[in-house]
Amino acid sequence: TVTDPKNRSVIGLDRETFRVFDGKAEQTVTHFSRDDAPLSVGIVFDSSGSMRDKLGKSREAVAQFFKTANPEDEFFLVEFSDRARLTVPFTTSPAEIQNRLLATQSQGKTPLLDAVYTAVQYMKNARHPRRALLVISDGGDNDSRFTASELRNLVRETDVWIYSIGIYEHTVMLPEQEASGQHLLAALAEDTGGREFALRNVRELPDVAERIGLELRNQYILGFTPADQERDGKYHRVQVKLVQGKNLHISARPGYFAPH
């Protein structure tokens, strides 16, 4: 995804605009597309006790996100409070998820890591190759079985973009817990080529969710065959650069695991 200094998607760029590096070696871009292909999307929704005053705007955000949807998209919902649970399996009806969220009540702790882990694992059932998670939460994990390193290793091996919205307005938690929550959401987004949005005002939620939806509709898909095809099973760093446009920002997947 390419965005300008005002966080707006930049569209209309062509293949010659991009340079791709595998490690330090520049690669030849052999595939280039800008198709608005259907998506498989998981909504990861925080309904823990600290979300009580934020549930209304969080529901609005999900509704706004769905307004950008393609008719062929499919969605599922993972909620988390005292535990992470899949509450709506894959559906092509956004209304099914919105109706479920209307009944959601705020209570319990915040097993954020477990929720994202559950969503990434369930995403293996997706029909479409383009896959994304939208995570809406107000802060740090305090009740997960999985560790941050376990989760980050998992998402690096998947083809799922993680977009997260962290709400840090009037959040009752220790400063170090809030910082770790924001760091975790940012790291997950960076590991997958998605983005993290940190909000201090809950009223910004619907606009940001809509922006994420539009961003998913304006992605560039770049493909290459690595010059070095050694099957070492190692993680390879990939960097995407623009030939021009110094003030533009690129969000791209940072690497891949070579096959064994």
Side-chain angles (χ1 to χ4, degrees):
T1 306
V2 183
T3 50
D4 67 14
K6 293 186 177 180
N7 249 332
R8 298 171 300 197
S9 293
V10 177
I11 59 176
L13 302 178
D14 56 27
R15 183 194 305 241
E16 286 66 37
T17 309
F18 297 93
R19 299 176 69 191
V20 176
F21 296 82
D22 186 336
K24 294 182 179 179
E26 184 164 5
Q27 307 293 311
T28 300
V29 177
T30 56
H31 173 84
F32 179 83
S33 67
R34 294 189 297 252
D35 298 336
D36 179 13
L39 283 161
S40 296
V41 179
I43 308 295
V44 183
F45 193 90
D46 186 348
S47 56
S48 61
S50 58
M51 287 288 288
R52 185 168 292 110
D53 297 332
K54 304 159 191 168
L55 280 184
K57 282 295 178 187
S58 297
R59 293 187 188 106
E60 273 185 51
V62 174
Q64 201 66 30
F65 175 80
F66 283 147
K67 288 181 181 178
T68 67
N70 178 315
E72 295 177 45
D73 289 347
E74 60 176 0
F75 309 94
F76 67 87
L77 175 65
V78 169
E79 297 177 69
F80 60 104
S81 49
D82 276 331
R83 63 186 178 88
R85 59 212 183 279
L86 174 72
T87 52
V88 179
F90 270 121
T91 176
T92 55
S93 170
E96 217 175 310
I97 290 176
Q98 289 175 264
N99 290 338
R100 165 66 202 187
L101 290 177
L102 287 174
T104 296
Q105 296 185 335
S106 169
Q107 60 185 3
K109 293 185 178 180
T110 313
L112 173 61
L113 291 162
D114 286 0
V116 177
Y117 198 99
T118 299
V120 171
Q121 292 285 33
Y122 183 70
M123 188 64 86
K124 293 176 182 176
N125 301 304
R127 286 189 295 131
H128 304 307
R130 298 182 69 227
R131 303 171 181 186
L133 296 182
L134 173 62
V135 182
I136 300 177
S137 178
D138 71 345
D141 185 288
N142 58 23
D143 197 34
S144 281
R145 291 179 298 124
F146 293 103
T147 65
S149 59
E150 286 174 326
L151 180 58
R152 291 188 67 182
N153 286 336
L154 175 69
V155 301
R156 277 177 157 191
E157 296 177 8
T158 65
D159 288 327
V160 179
W161 296 299
I162 296 181
Y163 282 80
S164 58
I165 308 177
I167 316 153
Y168 305 107
E169 174 193 63
H170 310 313
T171 302
V172 181
M173 66 169 74
L174 297 172
E176 61 270 23
Q177 187 184 347
E178 178 174 331
S180 68
Q182 187 169 349
H183 173 75
L184 173 63
L185 291 176
L188 290 173
E190 185 178 336
D191 284 343
T192 62
R195 289 218 286 156
E196 184 259 350
F197 295 81
L199 306 186
R200 296 290 169 183
N201 188 334
V202 71
R203 286 174 293 184
E204 297 174 41
L205 254 173
D207 286 345
V208 170
E210 180 182 28
R211 186 186 306 165
I212 291 171
L214 292 172
E215 205 163 288
L216 283 167
R217 299 294 161 200
N218 290 290
Q219 289 181 319
Y220 297 92
I221 310 296
L222 308 175
F224 68 94
T225 301
D228 176 7
Q229 296 192 39
E230 187 176 349
R231 305 174 76 85
D232 55 12
K234 294 180 179 178
Y235 188 73
H236 290 237
R237 288 276 173 192
V238 173
Q239 197 171 10
V240 183
K241 297 181 180 181
L242 292 172
V243 174
Q244 54 193 7
K246 292 181 180 178
N247 294 325
L248 301 181
H249 174 77
I250 291 180
S251 297
R253 195 167 185 83
Y256 66 94
F257 281 99
H260 287 286

